[in-house]
Amino acid sequence: MLHALYFKRDDDRGSWVISYKNRYVETETFTIETKLNKPGFLPALAGDAPAIIAAFLLNSLRFGAVNKHMSNTNVFEHSGKVYAIAENYVPQEVDISTWETVCNWDVNGTWDRPFTSHPKICDMVAVARIINATLVIPELDKRSFWKDSSNFSDVFDEDHFINALSNDVKITKKLPKELATGTRAVKHFRSLFGMDYYQDEIASMWEEYEVRFLEYNGRI
């Protein structure tokens, strides 16, 4: 369910009027239960393993989905539109003036899996900050199983990305020409390690190489 607080100034009285509104995100599974006029999906998020497996199977057979698409974790804005999201389904676009659910957002047919729902700085940015590295706007993987021709700039606002992190890490859109032929190395680094690992093992590569590509998981 979405919750909204509206603040409106009453100029005549010099005070503020606060109003509240809520509404369920109308996912496919919400629509199914609305038509049933009762809960239909068996709980499948916690419990004994046999019970969870049974719930998955029964939900799949009855409704074609293993669990409800709750879309209740976060709300984010992208390209002038607002989306509700949870980490078990694609985001749903919502109209913030009416809170009506508009549609599922699958990035123009190129995305069929959940998004992360918790705002955070990605690992690569944090590592660059720790070791005082300059980031280059990444190229997205188009050669493996990803059926998507998007570039980084098609998904993200590059200028906003650079400006928002300008106090923490330097970012450039392209590798400078003078470094294009420099000595380089590729490092498959480990995530979820302490700062000593990055400051000692990773940062020490600066002594031997001008350019380093730090490879991580995902499409980058």
Side-chain angles (χ1 to χ4, degrees), residues 21 33 84 89 94 121 135 194 201 217:
K21 188 175 183 179
E33 292 195 327
Y89 199 50
V94 293
I121 296 177
L135 289 179
E201 184 170 339
N217 56 8

Side-chain angles (χ1 to χ4, degrees), residues 24-103:
Y24 283 105
V25 180
E26 297 178 9
T27 64
E28 289 95 334
T29 57
F30 174 83
T31 302
I32 289 172
E33 292 195 327
T34 300
K35 291 179 179 178
L36 292 174
N37 199 29
K38 63 180 181 180
F41 282 80
L42 296 172
L45 292 178
D48 295 334
I52 294 176
I53 294 173
F56 275 16
L57 292 174
L58 290 173
N59 288 339
S60 296
L61 291 172
R62 296 175 65 197
F63 307 115
V66 298
N67 203 3
K68 287 193 288 187
H69 304 147
M70 294 173 287
S71 200
N72 63 355
T73 306
N74 201 1
V75 176
F76 70 94
E77 184 272 338
H78 176 71
S79 296
K81 296 181 180 180
V82 175
Y83 302 90
I85 188 172
E87 292 183 346
N88 67 343
Y89 199 50
V90 296
Q92 284 77 44
E93 180 186 345
V94 293
D95 184 333
I96 61 172
S97 61
T98 63
W99 287 120
E100 291 182 354
T101 303
V102 179
C103 62

Side-chain angles (χ1 to χ4, degrees), residues 61-209:
L61 291 172
R62 296 175 65 197
F63 307 115
V66 298
N67 203 3
K68 287 193 288 187
H69 304 147
M70 294 173 287
S71 200
N72 63 355
T73 306
N74 201 1
V75 176
F76 70 94
E77 184 272 338
H78 176 71
S79 296
K81 296 181 180 180
V82 175
Y83 302 90
I85 188 172
E87 292 183 346
N88 67 343
Y89 199 50
V90 296
Q92 284 77 44
E93 180 186 345
V94 293
D95 184 333
I96 61 172
S97 61
T98 63
W99 287 120
E100 291 182 354
T101 303
V102 179
C103 62
N104 290 337
W105 187 49
D106 59 3
V107 195
N108 299 323
T110 62
W111 194 266
D112 61 357
R113 63 201 70 199
F115 280 36
T116 180
S117 301
H118 300 88
K120 54 181 173 285
I121 296 177
C122 75
D123 290 19
M124 294 298 293
V125 173
V127 170
R129 176 67 178 85
I130 292 171
I131 63 178
N132 194 29
T134 296
L135 289 179
V136 179
I137 291 294
E139 296 181 359
L140 301 185
D141 172 23
K142 302 174 185 177
R143 295 173 295 180
S144 56
F145 61 89
W146 297 94
K147 299 178 181 179
D148 182 5
S149 61
S150 299
N151 295 313
F152 188 88
S153 59
D154 297 322
V155 182
F156 302 100
D157 183 333
E158 287 187 354
D159 291 330
H160 176 72
F161 179 73
I162 293 171
N163 294 332
L165 295 169
S166 60
N167 292 327
D168 298 296
V169 63
K170 184 177 179 180
I171 303 173
T172 181
K173 291 186 177 182
K174 294 183 179 180
L175 189 67
K177 292 182 179 180
E178 61 270 20
L179 296 179
T181 59
T183 307
R184 61 185 62 192
V186 176
K187 177 68 175 179
H188 300 268
F189 74 89
R190 299 170 291 178
S191 62
L192 303 179
F193 276 72
M195 289 184 63
D196 290 345
Y197 167 74
Y198 301 108
Q199 291 175 328
D200 297 338
E201 184 170 339
I202 301 300
S204 64
M205 297 174 65
W206 248 257
E207 300 173 3
E208 300 179 31
Y209 303 98

